[in-house]
Every structure is written in C-alpha cells, then in structure tokens.
Amino acid sequence: MRWKFKLHKKYLSSKRHFEINVDVQSKAENLVLFGPSGSGKTQILKMLSGLIQPDSGLVQFNQIDLFNSESGVNLSPQNRGLAYVFQEYALFPHLTVLQNITFALNKSWFNRAQHQENQMVDDWLDKLQLRAIANQYPHEISGGQSQRVALARALMSQPKALLLDEPFASLDDNLRKNLRHELAALQKQIGIPMILITHSQEDVDALGDEVFHVANGMIVGEPLSSN
Amino acid sequence: MMLTDAWIPLVLTLKVAGIATALNMVLGVAVAYLFARKNFLGKEFLDAMLTLPMVMPPTVLGYYLLVLLGREGPIGAFLKEQFDINLIFTWQGAVIAASIVSFPLVFKGARAAFESTEIYYEQAAQVLNVSDWAIFLRVTLPLAWRGILAGVLLAFARSAGEFGATLMIAGSIPGKTQTLSIAVYEAVQAGQDDVANFLVLLTSVVCMSVLLVSGRLAPGRVISRNL
C-alpha cells in the first residue's frame, strides 16, 4: 500500500461545528482528493504533512508510520519527507526566486546572499524555465512563474512524495491547462508519488490515478480509478 | 561647565535606555512571539497585565517597584540575602524601571508584527526540513522586523525620557542615577535656567532623532504579490 491514512479531528467553535473523519488506502502514484471548497481537503493534506495534528488516527506512507495516535508516533513536518506546495504558493517575499528554491539546501541559521554551485539547482532552473527570473523577488513574477518556483522549491528538498494544495486554482484557464500538462509530464519523468487536492474536474481527468471524493470532511462513495 | 553638566546625565541616560532596550528586545520579542503563535489559558488577561505599565502612572509603578525591590520587599530581601545585591538608588534600578515602563511598546509592536505575518510562510519552511530556530531567524524575523524595530525605537525613546518610576526607585544622585529628564527637573528647581534650557534642547534632539528613525522604519510598505 502506498498511502494509508485514517484521520479524525473535531473543530469546535461558537460559529461552526466541523468534523473530519476519513479513511483512505491507496496504491496509486497520483492520488487525488476531489471536493468543493470548505470540504476539509486542505486540513487533510496538512494533517498528512504534520502541519496540523489530528485528534486521533494514523498516517502511513510505504508502510511506515508518520503518525500513529495509538503507538504515539508523531514525526515533525521536517522529518516526514513530504514536500508541500501551498495554494498561495507561500514563496518567501523577502527572498529572491533562487534563494526560495535553494531554501531547503541551506541548513544554517541565516539566509545566504550567494548560493553555491549546485547541479540539482541548475537542472531545475532549466527544466522549469526559471533561470531568467532567478534574481527577481516573488512580487515581481507572474502567477504561473510563482507556481513553478513553488514546485522547484518543494522538489529541491528531495521529498519522498509531493503534496499539492489546489496548485492551479489561482491561475487563468490557459495557463492552468499548460501547467497541468507540464506537471503530468514532470511527474512521469521523476516518478515521485503525489497527492493533489482540487475542486476542478479537469485536474482530476489530467492527473488522477485514483480519486477520492471529499465532502463535509468525509470520503463519499467508492474511489474512482483511472485504470 | 554646561557641557559637563549635560555630558554625565546624557551618557547615563543612553546607558540606561540602551540596556533597558536590549533587555526588552530579547524578552519582549520572545514573549510577543509566544503570544502571537500559541494559545493558552488567561492569555488576554496576561496581555493586559503586561500592557499595564503603558497606562499606569509611572509614580505608581515606581512605588510598586519600591515595595517589591526595597530592603523589606520580597525580591529586594531575597537579592540582598542571597547575592548581596541592592537595586534601590542605583543605575541598575533605573534600568529596571525603564525596562518595565517601555516593555509594552516592544511587546505590543512585536506581537502585531508577528500576527500580521502569514503563518503559511513558517509552515512552508517547516516542510522544507529546516529547524525551528532557523525558521524563526530566516523567515519569521525578516518578515516582522520592521514592526519590531519601530516598537524597539519607541521603547528606547520612552526609556530615555523615563522620569517618575526612575525617580522613585533610583532617586536623583548626580553622576550616579541622575538621568537627563531628572537633571532637567533638578536644574529648574535650583533656578539654573541656562542648564535647564540646554538639557531640554539636548533631550528634544535625542527624542526627535529616535522618532525620525522609527518613522522611516515603520511598516508603511506592505509586500504584496500584485497579481
């Protein structure tokens, strides 16, 4: 089994009572969680990455426990080896594109002005066509470019899997189509397992090997498999 | 004569305000970060307590300090007994008074700055396998530094101008605890108008410089994505 996760979390507030209760097992390379906004998809992804802690449950990747409320295993986000691309991209606004991309390579306490030569960085700059904007700041580049930078930054940490939160939501239609194909091609090339969450049927068609439908914090119906 | 009259209290004032500001830069920023990122019982009550020195009359604050740090006071008696330290009528006492009076300026400024920084930048750094301490230094602090620095400079100005609490706890010993603002009061009381005029002018120049610098650094420019 590639992924196995069972998550339970209650959100209680005076305005809203929301509960996440999902149970997913999948062998798919490309797993898609599909559902409308507010259905709890982002919360699920953040629980997988360790950014939010479930009340109880289990997160397994390749049969290894990342979180297990019964045995008390709870790896920090740093130690899960799962890269995460945020819906808002979350590029560090005070750092250049190159500094953003090489962020994970620098283990010191301070940001470096100059980066050391690195073959992997050069490869990604070329592959994702980012060389021309390497010294620009995030507010100076376009949405499509931001998306590529976020992807390059995530891949630079050499993750075991990639988590993508609505990666195309803030792009216009044409760009969305292009980047969707780019991502599918890239994924085939590097062969890294991925979970993508989306509310767009086109994303599902282009990228999903197995699709789970999420509504109201729960998995609805049987998963759809493209095979 | 006038220059030596002014020189000694000026140096003392800068020393007291400098040390008080340095203390607050560490303590105020650390406490502000805790308040901005963690939830705990009685948080807003504690916030009000920590902000109290900003609204309470300095003489009242000075009285509290006198009661606590005096020879008969619980902290004063302990310090005297264990370490043979006496803080009353010393410049170190003036540092304590200035630190407490100006603490809320650093704390409030830094808390607002941390709270206005999007949490997803820190989360993005977490999943890039960077240590928590490095995240604070490489992401959180650079994004919040303008707000923090504005608070720190205001705290410096407030410390330099401290009068009431300082007079209560440190007194007015020329060359030892007599800061600029206290020297002005003494000069007026003694009818030394020339000295008073000079000291007042000097104090105004110091305060204006700090305000001008803090105005330049205040967070007026928001970094946005412009998409």
Side-chain angles (χ1 to χ4, degrees), chain B residues 62-146:
Chain B
Y63 186 78
Y64 273 130
L65 285 176
L66 211 51
V67 170
L68 285 173
L69 301 175
R71 276 192 191 166
E72 308 294 315
I75 300 174
F78 173 79
L79 288 175
K80 182 80 195 158
E81 218 169 85
Q82 298 294 320
F83 308 102
D84 197 26
I85 291 174
N86 167 44
L87 290 170
I88 306 299
F89 297 124
T90 63
W91 68 268
Q92 289 92 340
V95 168
I96 291 179
S99 307
I100 291 178
V101 167
S102 61
F103 177 85
L105 293 164
V106 176
F107 168 62
K108 283 281 172 190
R111 184 178 172 181
F114 285 134
E115 281 176 346
S116 65
T117 309
E118 293 288 355
I119 189 89
Y120 55 61
Y121 294 124
E122 286 168 23
Q123 293 184 331
Q126 272 183 298
V127 288
L128 289 170
N129 194 8
V130 171
S131 73
D132 289 338
W133 187 232
I135 293 172
F136 182 75
L137 291 174
R138 291 174 61 193
V139 178
T140 316
L141 217 49
L143 290 177
W145 76 270
R146 278 171 170 268

Coordinates of all heavy atoms in Angstrom, one line a residue, chain B residues 62-146:
Chain B
G62 N 6.6 53.0 40.0 CA 7.8 53.2 40.8 C 7.5 52.7 42.3 O 8.4 52.1 42.9
Y63 N 6.4 53.0 42.8 CA 6.0 52.7 44.1 C 6.0 51.2 44.3 O 6.5 50.6 45.2 CB 4.7 53.3 44.5 CG 4.3 53.1 46.0 CD1 4.9 53.8 47.0 CD2 3.4 52.1 46.3 CE1 4.6 53.6 48.3 CE2 3.1 51.8 47.7 CZ 3.7 52.6 48.6 OH 3.4 52.3 50.0
Y64 N 5.3 50.5 43.3 CA 5.3 49.0 43.3 C 6.7 48.5 43.3 O 7.0 47.5 44.1 CB 4.6 48.5 42.0 CG 3.1 48.4 42.1 CD1 2.2 49.0 41.1 CD2 2.5 47.7 43.2 CE1 0.8 48.9 41.2 CE2 1.1 47.6 43.3 CZ 0.3 48.2 42.3 OH -1.1 48.0 42.4
L65 N 7.5 49.0 42.5 CA 8.9 48.5 42.4 C 9.6 48.7 43.7 O 10.4 47.8 44.1 CB 9.7 49.2 41.3 CG 9.3 48.8 39.8 CD1 10.0 49.7 38.8 CD2 9.7 47.3 39.6
L66 N 9.4 49.9 44.3 CA 10.0 50.2 45.6 C 9.6 49.1 46.7 O 10.4 48.6 47.4 CB 9.6 51.6 46.0 CG 10.5 52.4 46.9 CD1 11.9 52.4 46.2 CD2 10.0 53.8 47.1
V67 N 8.3 48.8 46.6 CA 7.7 47.9 47.6 C 8.3 46.5 47.3 O 8.7 45.8 48.3 CB 6.2 47.8 47.5 CG1 5.6 46.6 48.3 CG2 5.6 49.1 48.0
L68 N 8.5 46.1 46.0 CA 9.0 44.8 45.7 C 10.5 44.7 45.9 O 11.0 43.6 46.4 CB 8.6 44.4 44.3 CG 7.2 44.0 44.0 CD1 7.0 43.9 42.5 CD2 6.8 42.7 44.7
L69 N 11.2 45.7 45.5 CA 12.7 45.6 45.4 C 13.4 46.2 46.6 O 14.6 46.1 46.8 CB 13.2 46.3 44.1 CG 12.7 45.7 42.8 CD1 13.2 46.5 41.6 CD2 13.2 44.3 42.6
G70 N 12.6 46.9 47.4 CA 13.2 47.6 48.6 C 13.7 46.5 49.6 O 13.5 45.3 49.4
R71 N 14.5 47.0 50.6 CA 15.1 46.0 51.5 C 14.1 45.1 52.2 O 14.4 43.9 52.5 CB 15.9 46.8 52.6 CG 17.3 47.1 52.0 CD 18.2 47.6 53.0 NE 19.4 48.1 52.2 CZ 20.3 48.9 52.7 NH1 20.3 49.2 54.0 NH2 21.3 49.3 52.0
E72 N 12.9 45.7 52.5 CA 11.9 44.9 53.2 C 11.1 44.1 52.2 O 10.3 43.2 52.6 CB 11.0 45.8 54.0 CG 11.7 46.8 54.9 CD 12.4 46.0 56.0 OE1 11.8 45.1 56.6 OE2 13.6 46.3 56.3
G73 N 11.2 44.4 50.9 CA 10.3 43.8 49.9 C 10.8 42.3 49.6 O 11.9 42.0 49.9
P74 N 9.9 41.5 49.1 CA 10.2 40.1 48.9 C 11.4 39.9 48.0 O 12.2 39.0 48.3 CB 8.9 39.5 48.3 CG 8.1 40.7 47.8 CD 8.5 41.9 48.7
I75 N 11.4 40.6 46.8 CA 12.5 40.4 45.9 C 13.8 41.0 46.4 O 14.9 40.4 46.4 CB 12.1 40.9 44.5 CG1 10.9 40.2 44.0 CG2 13.3 40.7 43.5 CD1 10.4 40.7 42.7
G76 N 13.6 42.3 46.9 CA 14.8 43.0 47.4 C 15.5 42.2 48.6 O 16.7 42.1 48.6
A77 N 14.7 41.7 49.5 CA 15.3 41.0 50.7 C 16.0 39.7 50.2 O 17.1 39.4 50.7 CB 14.1 40.6 51.6
F78 N 15.4 39.1 49.2 CA 16.0 37.8 48.7 C 17.3 38.2 48.0 O 18.3 37.5 48.2 CB 15.0 37.2 47.7 CG 15.6 36.0 46.9 CD1 15.7 34.8 47.5 CD2 16.1 36.2 45.6 CE1 16.2 33.7 46.8 CE2 16.6 35.1 44.9 CZ 16.7 33.9 45.5
L79 N 17.3 39.2 47.2 CA 18.6 39.6 46.4 C 19.7 40.0 47.4 O 20.8 39.6 47.2 CB 18.3 40.7 45.5 CG 17.5 40.4 44.2 CD1 17.2 41.6 43.4 CD2 18.2 39.4 43.3
K80 N 19.3 40.7 48.5 CA 20.2 41.1 49.5 C 20.8 40.0 50.2 O 22.0 39.8 50.4 CB 19.5 42.1 50.4 CG 20.4 42.7 51.5 CD 21.2 43.9 50.9 CE 22.3 44.2 51.8 NZ 23.4 44.9 51.2
E81 N 20.0 39.1 50.6 CA 20.4 37.9 51.4 C 21.2 36.9 50.6 O 22.3 36.5 51.1 CB 19.1 37.2 51.9 CG 19.2 36.6 53.3 CD 17.9 36.2 53.7 OE1 17.5 35.0 53.4 OE2 17.1 37.0 54.4
Q82 N 20.8 36.6 49.4 CA 21.5 35.6 48.6 C 22.7 36.1 47.9 O 23.7 35.4 47.7 CB 20.5 35.0 47.6 CG 19.3 34.3 48.2 CD 19.7 33.0 49.0 OE1 20.6 32.3 48.6 NE2 19.1 32.9 50.1
F83 N 22.6 37.3 47.3 CA 23.7 37.8 46.4 C 24.3 39.1 46.9 O 25.1 39.6 46.2 CB 23.1 37.9 45.0 CG 22.4 36.7 44.4 CD1 21.0 36.7 44.4 CD2 23.2 35.6 44.0 CE1 20.4 35.5 43.9 CE2 22.5 34.5 43.5 CZ 21.1 34.4 43.5
D84 N 23.8 39.6 48.0 CA 24.2 40.9 48.5 C 24.1 42.0 47.4 O 25.0 42.8 47.2 CB 25.7 40.8 48.9 CG 26.1 42.0 49.8 OD1 25.1 42.6 50.5 OD2 27.2 42.4 49.9
I85 N 22.9 42.0 46.7 CA 22.6 43.0 45.7 C 21.6 43.9 46.2 O 20.5 43.5 46.8 CB 22.1 42.3 44.4 CG1 23.2 41.5 43.7 CG2 21.5 43.3 43.4 CD1 22.8 40.7 42.6
N86 N 21.8 45.2 46.0 CA 20.8 46.2 46.4 C 20.5 47.1 45.1 O 21.5 47.6 44.5 CB 21.4 47.1 47.5 CG 20.5 48.3 47.7 OD1 19.3 48.2 47.7 ND2 21.1 49.5 47.8
L87 N 19.3 47.1 44.7 CA 18.9 47.8 43.5 C 18.4 49.3 43.7 O 18.4 50.1 42.8 CB 17.9 47.0 42.7 CG 18.3 45.7 42.1 CD1 17.2 44.9 41.6 CD2 19.3 46.0 41.0
I88 N 18.0 49.6 44.9 CA 17.4 50.9 45.2 C 18.6 51.9 45.2 O 19.7 51.7 45.7 CB 16.7 50.9 46.6 CG1 15.7 49.8 46.6 CG2 16.1 52.2 46.9 CD1 14.6 49.8 45.6
F89 N 18.3 53.1 44.6 CA 19.2 54.2 44.4 C 20.5 53.7 43.6 O 21.6 54.2 44.0 CB 19.6 54.8 45.7 CG 18.4 55.4 46.4 CD1 18.1 55.0 47.7 CD2 17.7 56.4 45.8 CE1 16.9 55.6 48.3 CE2 16.6 56.9 46.4 CZ 16.2 56.5 47.7
T90 N 20.3 52.9 42.6 CA 21.4 52.5 41.8 C 21.0 52.7 40.3 O 19.8 52.7 40.0 CB 21.9 51.0 41.9 OG1 20.7 50.2 41.5 CG2 22.2 50.7 43.4
W91 N 22.0 52.8 39.4 CA 21.6 52.9 38.0 C 21.0 51.6 37.5 O 20.1 51.7 36.6 CB 22.8 53.4 37.1 CG 23.9 52.3 37.0 CD1 25.0 52.2 37.7 CD2 24.0 51.3 36.0 NE1 25.8 51.2 37.3 CE2 25.2 50.6 36.2 CE3 23.1 50.9 34.9 CZ2 25.5 49.5 35.5 CZ3 23.5 49.8 34.2 CH2 24.7 49.1 34.4
Q92 N 21.3 50.5 38.1 CA 20.7 49.2 37.7 C 19.2 49.3 38.0 O 18.4 48.7 37.2 CB 21.3 48.1 38.4 CG 22.7 47.7 37.9 CD 23.8 48.4 38.7 OE1 23.5 49.4 39.4 NE2 25.0 47.9 38.7
G93 N 18.8 50.0 39.1 CA 17.4 50.1 39.5 C 16.7 51.0 38.4 O 15.6 50.7 38.0
A94 N 17.5 52.0 37.9 CA 16.9 52.8 36.8 C 16.7 52.0 35.6 O 15.7 52.2 34.9 CB 17.8 54.0 36.5
V95 N 17.6 51.0 35.3 CA 17.4 50.2 34.1 C 16.1 49.3 34.3 O 15.3 49.2 33.3 CB 18.6 49.2 34.0 CG1 18.3 48.1 32.9 CG2 19.8 50.0 33.5
I96 N 15.9 48.8 35.5 CA 14.7 48.0 35.7 C 13.4 48.9 35.5 O 12.5 48.5 34.8 CB 14.7 47.4 37.1 CG1 15.8 46.4 37.2 CG2 13.4 46.8 37.5 CD1 16.0 45.7 38.5
A97 N 13.4 50.1 36.1 CA 12.3 51.0 35.9 C 12.0 51.2 34.4 O 10.9 51.1 33.9 CB 12.5 52.3 36.7
A98 N 13.1 51.6 33.7 CA 13.0 51.9 32.3 C 12.5 50.7 31.5 O 11.7 50.8 30.6 CB 14.3 52.4 31.7
S99 N 13.0 49.5 31.8 CA 12.6 48.3 31.1 C 11.2 48.0 31.2 O 10.5 47.7 30.3 CB 13.4 47.1 31.6 OG 14.8 47.3 31.7
I100 N 10.7 48.1 32.5 CA 9.3 47.8 32.7 C 8.3 48.8 32.1 O 7.3 48.4 31.4 CB 9.0 47.7 34.2 CG1 9.8 46.4 34.7 CG2 7.5 47.6 34.5 CD1 9.7 46.1 36.2
V101 N 8.7 50.1 32.2 CA 7.9 51.1 31.6 C 7.8 51.0 30.0 O 6.7 51.2 29.4 CB 8.4 52.5 31.9 CG1 7.7 53.6 31.1 CG2 8.1 52.8 33.4
S102 N 8.9 50.6 29.4 CA 8.9 50.5 28.0 C 8.6 49.1 27.4 O 8.5 49.0 26.2 CB 10.3 51.0 27.4 OG 11.3 50.2 27.9
F103 N 8.5 48.1 28.3 CA 8.3 46.8 27.8 C 7.0 46.7 26.8 O 7.1 46.1 25.8 CB 8.1 45.8 29.0 CG 7.8 44.4 28.6 CD1 8.8 43.5 28.3 CD2 6.5 44.0 28.6 CE1 8.5 42.2 27.9 CE2 6.1 42.7 28.2 CZ 7.1 41.8 27.8
P104 N 5.9 47.3 27.2 CA 4.7 47.1 26.4 C 4.9 47.6 25.0 O 4.3 47.1 24.0 CB 3.6 47.9 27.1 CG 4.1 48.1 28.5 CD 5.6 48.1 28.4
L105 N 5.8 48.6 24.8 CA 6.0 49.1 23.4 C 6.6 48.1 22.5 O 6.2 48.0 21.4 CB 6.8 50.4 23.5 CG 6.1 51.6 24.2 CD1 7.1 52.7 24.5 CD2 5.0 52.2 23.3
V106 N 7.6 47.4 23.0 CA 8.2 46.3 22.2 C 7.2 45.2 22.1 O 7.0 44.6 21.0 CB 9.5 45.8 22.9 CG1 10.1 44.7 22.1 CG2 10.5 47.0 23.0
F107 N 6.6 44.8 23.2 CA 5.7 43.6 23.2 C 4.6 43.8 22.3 O 4.3 43.0 21.4 CB 5.3 43.4 24.7 CG 4.1 42.4 24.8 CD1 4.3 41.1 24.4 CD2 2.9 42.9 25.3 CE1 3.2 40.2 24.5 CE2 1.8 42.0 25.4 CZ 2.0 40.7 25.1
K108 N 3.9 45.0 22.4 CA 2.7 45.2 21.5 C 3.1 45.3 20.0 O 2.5 44.7 19.2 CB 2.1 46.5 21.9 CG 1.2 46.4 23.2 CD -0.1 45.8 22.9 CE -0.9 45.5 24.1 NZ -2.1 44.6 23.8
G109 N 4.2 46.0 19.8 CA 4.7 46.2 18.4 C 5.0 44.9 17.8 O 4.6 44.5 16.6
A110 N 5.8 44.1 18.5 CA 6.3 42.8 18.0 C 5.1 41.8 17.9 O 5.0 41.1 16.9 CB 7.3 42.2 18.9
R111 N 4.2 41.8 18.8 CA 3.0 40.9 18.7 C 2.2 41.2 17.4 O 1.9 40.3 16.7 CB 2.1 41.0 19.9 CG 1.0 40.0 19.9 CD 0.1 40.0 21.1 NE -1.0 39.1 20.8 CZ -2.0 38.9 21.7 NH1 -2.1 39.4 22.8 NH2 -3.0 38.1 21.3
A112 N 2.0 42.5 17.2 CA 1.2 42.9 16.0 C 2.0 42.5 14.7 O 1.4 42.0 13.8 CB 0.9 44.4 16.0
A113 N 3.3 42.7 14.8 CA 4.1 42.3 13.6 C 4.1 40.8 13.3 O 3.9 40.4 12.2 CB 5.5 42.8 13.8
F114 N 4.2 40.0 14.4 CA 4.2 38.6 14.2 C 2.8 38.1 13.8 O 2.7 37.2 12.9 CB 4.5 37.8 15.5 CG 6.0 37.9 15.9 CD1 6.4 38.2 17.1 CD2 7.0 37.6 14.9 CE1 7.8 38.2 17.5 CE2 8.3 37.7 15.2 CZ 8.7 38.0 16.5
E115 N 1.7 38.7 14.3 CA 0.4 38.3 14.0 C 0.0 38.6 12.5 O -0.8 38.0 11.9 CB -0.6 38.9 14.9 CG -0.7 38.1 16.2 CD -1.6 38.7 17.3 OE1 -2.0 39.8 17.1 OE2 -1.8 38.0 18.3
S116 N 0.7 39.7 12.0 CA 0.3 40.1 10.6 C 1.2 39.3 9.6 O 1.0 39.4 8.4 CB 0.5 41.6 10.4 OG 1.9 41.9 10.6
T117 N 2.1 38.5 10.1 CA 2.9 37.6 9.2 C 2.1 36.3 9.0 O 1.7 35.7 9.9 CB 4.2 37.3 9.8 OG1 4.8 38.5 10.3 CG2 5.1 36.6 8.8
E118 N 1.9 36.0 7.7 CA 1.1 34.8 7.4 C 1.8 33.6 7.9 O 3.0 33.4 7.7 CB 0.9 34.7 5.9 CG 0.1 35.7 5.2 CD -1.4 35.6 5.5 OE1 -1.8 34.6 6.2 OE2 -2.2 36.5 5.1
I119 N 1.0 32.7 8.6 CA 1.5 31.5 9.2 C 2.0 30.5 8.1 O 2.9 29.7 8.4 CB 0.4 30.8 10.1 CG1 1.0 29.7 10.9 CG2 -0.7 30.3 9.3 CD1 1.6 30.2 12.2
Y120 N 1.5 30.6 6.9 CA 1.9 29.6 5.9 C 3.4 29.8 5.5 O 4.0 28.8 4.9 CB 1.0 29.5 4.7 CG 0.7 30.8 3.9 CD1 1.7 31.5 3.3 CD2 -0.7 31.2 3.8 CE1 1.4 32.6 2.5 CE2 -1.0 32.3 3.0 CZ 0.0 33.1 2.4 OH -0.3 34.2 1.7
Y121 N 4.0 31.0 5.7 CA 5.4 31.1 5.4 C 6.2 30.2 6.3 O 7.2 29.5 5.9 CB 5.9 32.5 5.5 CG 5.3 33.4 4.5 CD1 4.6 34.6 4.9 CD2 5.4 33.2 3.1 CE1 4.1 35.4 3.9 CE2 4.9 34.0 2.2 CZ 4.2 35.2 2.6 OH 3.7 36.0 1.7
E122 N 5.8 30.2 7.6 CA 6.6 29.3 8.5 C 6.3 27.8 8.2 O 7.2 27.0 8.3 CB 6.1 29.6 10.0 CG 6.7 30.9 10.5 CD 6.1 31.4 11.7 OE1 5.5 30.6 12.5 OE2 6.1 32.6 12.0
Q123 N 5.0 27.5 7.9 CA 4.7 26.1 7.5 C 5.5 25.7 6.3 O 5.9 24.5 6.3 CB 3.2 26.0 7.3 CG 2.4 26.3 8.6 CD 0.9 26.1 8.3 OE1 0.4 26.2 7.2 NE2 0.2 25.7 9.4
A124 N 5.6 26.6 5.3 CA 6.3 26.2 4.1 C 7.8 25.9 4.4 O 8.4 25.0 3.9 CB 6.3 27.4 3.1
A125 N 8.3 26.6 5.4 CA 9.7 26.4 5.8 C 9.8 25.1 6.6 O 10.8 24.3 6.4 CB 10.2 27.5 6.7
Q126 N 8.8 24.8 7.4 CA 8.8 23.5 8.1 C 8.9 22.3 7.2 O 9.6 21.4 7.5 CB 7.5 23.4 9.0 CG 7.6 24.1 10.3 CD 6.3 23.8 11.1 OE1 5.2 24.2 10.6 NE2 6.4 23.1 12.2
V127 N 8.1 22.3 6.2 CA 8.1 21.1 5.3 C 9.3 21.1 4.4 O 9.5 20.1 3.7 CB 6.8 21.0 4.4 CG1 5.6 20.6 5.2 CG2 6.5 22.3 3.7
L128 N 10.1 22.2 4.4 CA 11.4 22.1 3.7 C 12.5 21.6 4.5 O 13.7 21.8 4.2 CB 11.7 23.5 3.1 CG 10.8 24.0 2.0 CD1 11.0 25.4 1.7 CD2 11.0 23.1 0.8
N129 N 12.1 21.0 5.7 CA 13.1 20.4 6.5 C 14.2 21.3 7.1 O 15.4 21.1 7.0 CB 13.8 19.2 5.8 CG 14.6 18.3 6.7 OD1 14.5 18.5 7.9 ND2 15.3 17.4 6.1
V130 N 13.7 22.5 7.6 CA 14.6 23.5 8.2 C 14.2 23.5 9.7 O 13.0 23.5 10.0 CB 14.4 24.8 7.5 CG1 15.2 25.9 8.2 CG2 14.9 24.8 6.1
S131 N 15.2 23.6 10.6 CA 14.9 23.6 12.0 C 14.1 24.8 12.5 O 14.1 25.8 11.8 CB 16.2 23.6 12.8 OG 16.9 24.8 12.7
D132 N 13.4 24.6 13.6 CA 12.5 25.7 14.1 C 13.3 27.0 14.3 O 12.8 28.1 14.1 CB 11.8 25.2 15.4 CG 10.8 24.1 15.1 OD1 10.3 24.0 13.9 OD2 10.4 23.4 16.0
W133 N 14.4 26.9 14.9 CA 15.2 28.1 15.2 C 15.7 28.8 13.9 O 15.6 30.0 13.9 CB 16.4 27.6 16.1 CG 17.3 28.7 16.6 CD1 18.6 28.8 16.5 CD2 16.9 29.8 17.4 NE1 19.1 29.9 17.1 CE2 18.0 30.6 17.7 CE3 15.6 30.3 17.9 CZ2 18.0 31.8 18.4 CZ3 15.6 31.5 18.6 CH2 16.7 32.2 18.9
A134 N 16.0 28.0 12.9 CA 16.4 28.6 11.6 C 15.2 29.2 11.0 O 15.3 30.3 10.3 CB 17.0 27.5 10.7
I135 N 14.0 28.6 11.1 CA 12.8 29.2 10.6 C 12.5 30.6 11.2 O 12.2 31.6 10.5 CB 11.6 28.3 10.8 CG1 11.7 27.0 10.0 CG2 10.3 29.0 10.4 CD1 10.7 26.0 10.3
F136 N 12.7 30.7 12.5 CA 12.5 32.0 13.2 C 13.5 33.0 12.7 O 13.1 34.2 12.4 CB 12.7 31.8 14.7 CG 12.4 33.0 15.5 CD1 11.1 33.5 15.7 CD2 13.5 33.8 16.0 CE1 10.9 34.6 16.4 CE2 13.2 34.9 16.7 CZ 11.9 35.4 16.9
L137 N 14.7 32.6 12.5 CA 15.7 33.6 12.1 C 15.7 33.9 10.6 O 16.0 35.0 10.2 CB 17.1 33.1 12.5 CG 17.4 33.1 13.9 CD1 18.8 32.4 14.2 CD2 17.4 34.5 14.6
R138 N 15.3 32.9 9.8 CA 15.3 33.1 8.3 C 14.0 33.5 7.7 O 14.0 34.1 6.6 CB 15.8 31.8 7.7 CG 17.3 31.5 8.0 CD 17.7 30.2 7.4 NE 17.6 30.1 6.0 CZ 17.6 29.0 5.3 NH1 17.8 27.8 5.9 NH2 17.5 29.0 4.0
V139 N 12.9 33.3 8.4 CA 11.6 33.6 7.8 C 10.8 34.6 8.7 O 10.5 35.7 8.3 CB 10.7 32.3 7.6 CG1 9.4 32.7 7.1 CG2 11.5 31.4 6.6
T140 N 10.5 34.2 10.0 CA 9.7 35.0 10.8 C 10.2 36.3 11.1 O 9.5 37.4 10.9 CB 9.4 34.2 12.2 OG1 9.2 32.8 11.9 CG2 8.3 34.8 12.9
L141 N 11.5 36.4 11.6 CA 12.1 37.7 12.0 C 12.2 38.6 10.8 O 11.9 39.8 10.9 CB 13.4 37.4 12.7 CG 13.8 38.3 13.8 CD1 12.7 38.4 14.8 CD2 15.0 37.8 14.5
P142 N 12.8 38.1 9.6 CA 12.9 39.1 8.5 C 11.5 39.6 8.0 O 11.5 40.7 7.5 CB 13.5 38.2 7.4 CG 14.2 37.1 8.1 CD 13.4 36.8 9.3
L143 N 10.4 38.9 8.2 CA 9.1 39.3 7.7 C 8.5 40.3 8.7 O 7.7 41.1 8.4 CB 8.2 38.2 7.5 CG 8.5 37.3 6.3 CD1 7.6 36.1 6.2 CD2 8.5 38.1 5.0
A144 N 9.0 40.2 10.0 CA 8.3 41.0 11.0 C 9.2 42.2 11.5 O 8.8 43.0 12.4 CB 7.9 40.2 12.2
W145 N 10.4 42.3 11.0 CA 11.4 43.1 11.6 C 11.1 44.6 11.6 O 11.4 45.3 12.6 CB 12.8 42.9 11.0 CG 13.0 43.5 9.7 CD1 12.8 43.0 8.5 CD2 13.5 44.9 9.4 NE1 13.1 43.8 7.5 CE2 13.5 45.0 8.0 CE3 14.0 45.9 10.2 CZ2 13.9 46.2 7.4 CZ3 14.4 47.1 9.6 CH2 14.3 47.2 8.2
R146 N 10.3 45.1 10.6 CA 10.0 46.5 10.6 C 9.1 46.9 11.7 O 9.4 47.9 12.4 CB 9.2 46.8 9.3 CG 10.2 47.0 8.1 CD 9.4 47.1 6.8 NE 10.3 47.6 5.8 CZ 10.4 48.8 5.4 NH1 9.8 49.8 6.0 NH2 11.3 49.1 4.5

